Amino acid sequence: MLDIAPEAQVDITNHYRNVYDANAAVIGIYGQLMGIADRYMVLNELRADLMSPTNNADQYLREISTHTVSANNPWADPKPFYKIILNCNDALKNFDIMLKDAKFRRDEYNQRYADVAAVRAWLYLQLGIHWGSVPYVTDALETVEDLKDESKFPRIPFNDMLDKLIATLANGYLDVYTTSASTTGSTSTSLNTTVDGYPTNLFFINKRCLLGDLYLWRGKYSDAATQYRYVSETGYRTDPGAVNAFWQYKVTYSNFSINYSRPGDETSLIDDNTTVTGWRSIFGAQPGTDINSEWIWTLPFDKNFQPVNPFIDLFSNQGGRYLLTASKLALDNWNSQTQSNGFPYDARGRLTVKTIGGQPVIAKQLYYYLNGTTLVPTNVLQKQGRWLLYRSATLNLHFAEAACRDNYVDVAYALTNAGVLQVFSGIFPTVAAISTGRNVPADATNIMITNRPAPYDLDARYGDVPTYRGPWHRQIGTRSRANLPNLPISYINGGPGLGGDVTTMENAIIDEDGLELAYEGQRWGDLLRIALRRNDASFVATKVYQKLLRDGNPQAGAALNKLSSLDGLYLPFKL
């Protein structure tokens, strides 16, 4: 009687029987990953300079913001990351067994193994960013408690861990999941399919973007740029005749630009997320050809399934607890810009943060929950949304950072600011001039505009005698897409090809990161990476100090002192 198999659950001996079980393991790991979305946002944004706690926040969120973390602060606990890592290790061990026992094909194994290994690498990157030196384990341990034995699992330096992660990823399968002959229904073995009505092509981490980021953290800039360029040219490489071949994963003049329906009338800012119209639609339009040209990795929170979208509790003052909001420094940064039409602010700020009920609300993460026009929840009990993890603007700005540090400051300037064609034709034409082919060499097909070595030889040629379109001819940079004027040409010492001021351009890229990517989980990492690269903790410390100072927080000075050493930039590690 005691040997009867349980009927209500799958016995462990029946796990990993075939490719469908392997698929279920992969999807299950992503489900677990969604459970730390709130932790990812809090650690990567609230620790930095653009987000502040509201009056509703408890002491633990306030500690994160002021860098006064107490021993029992739940947000500073690394165990939730390690729990998923151990599940990844278990899946990888069983994938090895399945392959040995011929339970799935080598290509099926390669794809699923690489995907889970990439999720594990992403989790380790987060641990390194926030805790510095941490235990690195690839064994399939039973519980996180096993990690407490430091004699078996010592903490290793961040750079050593980066080397291990790079080696694992670089030697594995790097491309996106392929489709099978049958991509839906019970006969499909592909993970590029449909689950609960959601196409899964954007569920899975982009391994080349992740590898590029690991190289960027490790200071291998040419290697990073090589990966970023490969992803950027996905559309053109796979289907050069497609509609989005020149748009996909590049920041182009497109439907995602800051636009006004009536020139000169600032009340006519296109402020809509129900269709693919304007910059705000990046964060609220439904998936489709256009939106997929911007999104690279995004996970959906469905109103009918767990886990519940945590961003509503964090940010919304309607149906949520409204715990976090934009810092005054963030608002000041947007308001210090001047648009090309003379309007004295960066309109991205007004589309990222909305005044709702007299309170500043981070709306960027709420546009699937709020009515697109009234900004009132359609149904406060239906907390749908998306976790936007990586998009073309992230890719573009990281590509620019790599190029800048690799001493191709002119390439970095083009990617961030004015566009490859505009910079390397030497004429800075308007977007309208590019679209009509004016101000470019008559025989553009015989002139390589970016006369740089790979991976910086970006082909932006645009000619009609004969007709030719280079893959980068539509790229314009985040500043131009945001309707902001070009940065001073002095950033590249008077013109393309003459070198440039690496530090000045790098500072401009990090500033642009904040304006474009605020509240997408990138900020602390972007600041920390520069501080480590320059061996200068003040790069982070002064920004956090300014946040606290402008918010009127009396702990601003203490935070400045704590963060003035590189060791002070990390959370206390305790399992």
Side-chain angles (χ1 to χ4, degrees):
M1 181 175 65
L2 296 176
D3 290 334
I4 295 176
E7 297 181 359
Q9 57 187 330
V10 178
D11 183 78
I12 192 168
T13 60
N14 292 322
H15 287 178
Y16 299 104
R17 297 164 299 180
N18 51 44
V19 68
Y20 303 108
D21 287 347
N23 288 355
V26 174
I27 294 295
I29 285 169
Y30 278 94
Q32 295 165 9
L33 194 67
M34 294 175 71
I36 63 168
D38 55 348
R39 187 174 302 270
Y40 172 81
M41 188 66 67
V42 166
L43 294 181
N44 283 298
E45 296 292 345
L46 188 58
R47 296 188 72 208
D49 57 337
L50 305 179
M51 184 182 285
S52 295
T54 68
N55 291 333
N56 298 339
D58 63 17
Q59 73 176 81
Y60 297 121
L61 288 172
R62 295 179 188 279
E63 288 175 1
I64 294 293
S65 183
T66 57
H67 294 265
T68 54
V69 173
S70 58
N72 61 341
N73 189 310
W75 298 104
D77 183 1
K79 288 195 291 292
F81 292 89
Y82 274 108
K83 287 179 181 178
I84 306 174
I85 286 171
L86 294 188
N87 286 328
C88 290
N89 292 347
D90 180 74
L92 295 175
K93 180 191 75 172
N94 281 285
F95 289 170
D96 285 337
I97 296 171
M98 288 178 67
L99 181 66
K100 179 182 177 182
D101 294 344
K103 291 184 177 180
F104 60 177
R105 300 191 311 267
R106 167 65 69 173
D107 62 323
E108 294 171 335
Y109 165 85
N110 289 344
Q111 293 180 4
R112 286 149 187 81
Y113 192 100
D115 200 276
V116 173
V119 171
R120 183 179 67 184
W122 183 85
L123 290 163
Y124 271 124
L125 177 60
Q126 292 301 309
L127 286 167
I129 287 171
H130 297 296
W131 286 275
S133 299
V134 298
Y136 179 76
V137 56
T138 57
D139 297 335
L141 305 179
E142 289 292 331
T143 69
V144 175
E145 296 299 311
D146 296 334
L147 285 170
K148 292 183 177 180
D149 187 348
E150 291 193 16
S151 65
K152 294 181 179 178
F153 306 106
R155 293 165 61 178
I156 67 172
F158 188 20
N159 281 342
D160 291 352
M161 184 173 68
L162 289 172
D163 290 337
K164 293 178 181 294
L165 300 179
I166 288 169
T168 300
L169 254 68
N171 294 315
Y173 183 90
L174 288 174
D175 291 321
V176 298
Y177 281 115
T178 56
T179 58
S180 62
S182 172
T183 57
T184 59
S186 60
T187 61
S188 173
T189 61
S190 174
L191 275 165
N192 191 355
T193 180
T194 300
V195 176
D196 297 324
Y198 293 98
T200 62
N201 59 311
L202 298 175
F203 276 25
F204 306 106
I205 189 169
N206 189 293
K207 293 178 281 295
R208 289 189 181 275
C209 287
L210 174 60
L211 181 57
D213 286 349
L214 294 173
Y215 280 134
L216 187 64
W217 277 95
R218 195 62 181 96
K220 298 182 177 182
Y221 305 115
S222 181
D223 291 332
T226 298
Q227 297 301 324
Y228 296 142
R229 177 179 174 175
Y230 187 91
V231 178
S232 297
E233 294 182 347
T234 295
Y236 188 84
R237 185 180 60 256
T238 57
D239 191 359
V243 173
N244 69 339
F246 303 109
W247 302 344
Q248 188 174 20
Y249 303 157
K250 298 182 187 71
V251 177
T252 65
Y253 55 93
S254 66
N255 291 330
F256 302 132
S257 300
I258 295 293
N259 281 317
Y260 295 82
S261 58
R262 296 181 299 276
D265 181 0
E266 63 180 310
T267 66
S268 69
L269 173 67
I270 296 175
D271 186 0
D272 180 40
N273 62 267
T274 56
T275 60
V276 183
T277 307
W279 189 82
R280 175 177 149 184
S281 65
I282 294 171
F283 311 100
Q286 292 301 317
T289 299
D290 286 346
I291 209 73
N292 288 5
S293 70
E294 178 74 16
W295 290 351
I296 297 176
W297 183 25
T298 176
L299 291 165
F301 292 103
D302 189 278
K303 61 188 177 184
N304 297 315
F305 303 101
Q306 294 291 331
V308 173
N309 181 355
F311 301 138
I312 293 169
D313 249 8
L314 289 178
F315 301 131
S316 183
N317 59 1
Q318 303 170 92
R321 292 192 290 166
Y322 186 55
L323 303 175
L324 304 171
T325 189
S327 67
K328 189 175 186 303
L329 176 62
L331 300 176
D332 289 346
N333 289 343
W334 280 308
N335 289 332
S336 67
Q337 306 295 313
T338 300
Q339 295 179 58
S340 298
N341 54 15
F343 297 159
Y345 52 85
D346 185 335
R348 289 174 294 184
R350 300 193 175 192
L351 301 177
T352 299
V353 180
K354 293 288 186 181
T355 300
I356 302 175
Q359 296 174 312
V361 172
I362 296 173
K364 181 183 273 189
Q365 299 287 354
L366 300 177
Y367 283 129
Y368 286 100
Y369 170 67
L370 303 175
N371 179 280
T373 303
T374 65
L375 300 181
V376 173
T378 304
N379 185 332
V380 294
L381 300 179
Q382 295 181 356
K383 298 186 176 183
Q384 63 275 1
R386 282 186 175 270
W387 183 10
L388 187 66
L389 284 150
Y390 213 97
R391 60 188 178 96
S392 69
T394 321
L395 172 65
N396 184 76
L397 288 165
H398 286 188
F399 192 176
E401 184 183 330
C404 182
R405 270 290 156 176
D406 212 13
N407 290 309
Y408 292 98
V409 181
D410 47 2
V411 175
Y413 182 96
L415 291 169
T416 308
N417 178 64
V420 177
L421 176 58
Q422 291 171 301
V423 171
F424 285 94
S425 63
I427 51 170
F428 289 87
T430 64
V431 170
I434 295 174
S435 64
T436 59
R438 296 195 301 271
N439 294 328
V440 297
D443 189 5
T445 58
N446 291 326
I447 298 173
M448 177 54 71
I449 291 177
T450 49
N451 185 21
R452 299 290 177 273
Y456 306 111
D457 52 336
L458 307 180
D459 183 357
R461 290 172 288 175
Y462 185 107
D464 289 318
V465 187
T467 298
Y468 183 84
R469 302 291 184 268
W472 289 84
H473 79 274
R474 287 179 177 265
Q475 194 273 341
I476 63 172
T478 54
R479 284 185 63 82
S480 292
R481 192 170 73 167
N483 197 39
L484 296 181
N486 296 323
L487 294 167
I489 192 64
S490 60
Y491 283 26
I492 46 177
N493 289 351
L498 300 178
D501 185 336
V502 170
T503 300
T504 299
M505 189 66 230
E506 187 172 71
N507 289 342
I509 292 168
I510 298 303
D511 289 345
E512 185 62 22
D513 285 339
L515 300 171
E516 173 74 22
L517 304 175
Y519 319 126
E520 296 179 32
Q522 298 290 330
R523 189 58 174 170
W524 179 260
D526 286 339
L527 298 182
L528 177 68
R529 191 166 56 250
I530 305 303
L532 295 178
R533 182 179 297 154
R534 298 181 185 178
N535 194 31
D536 181 10
S538 69
F539 186 83
V540 176
T542 54
K543 287 179 168 56
V544 174
Y545 170 74
Q546 284 297 322
K547 175 185 81 168
L548 298 173
L549 185 68
R550 297 190 198 193
D551 284 348
N553 193 310
Q555 293 178 292
L560 179 65
N561 290 335
K562 181 180 186 302
L563 299 176
S564 292
S565 70
L566 292 177
D567 289 342
L569 300 178
Y570 295 111
L571 294 169
F573 185 82
K574 179 182 178 183
L575 285 173

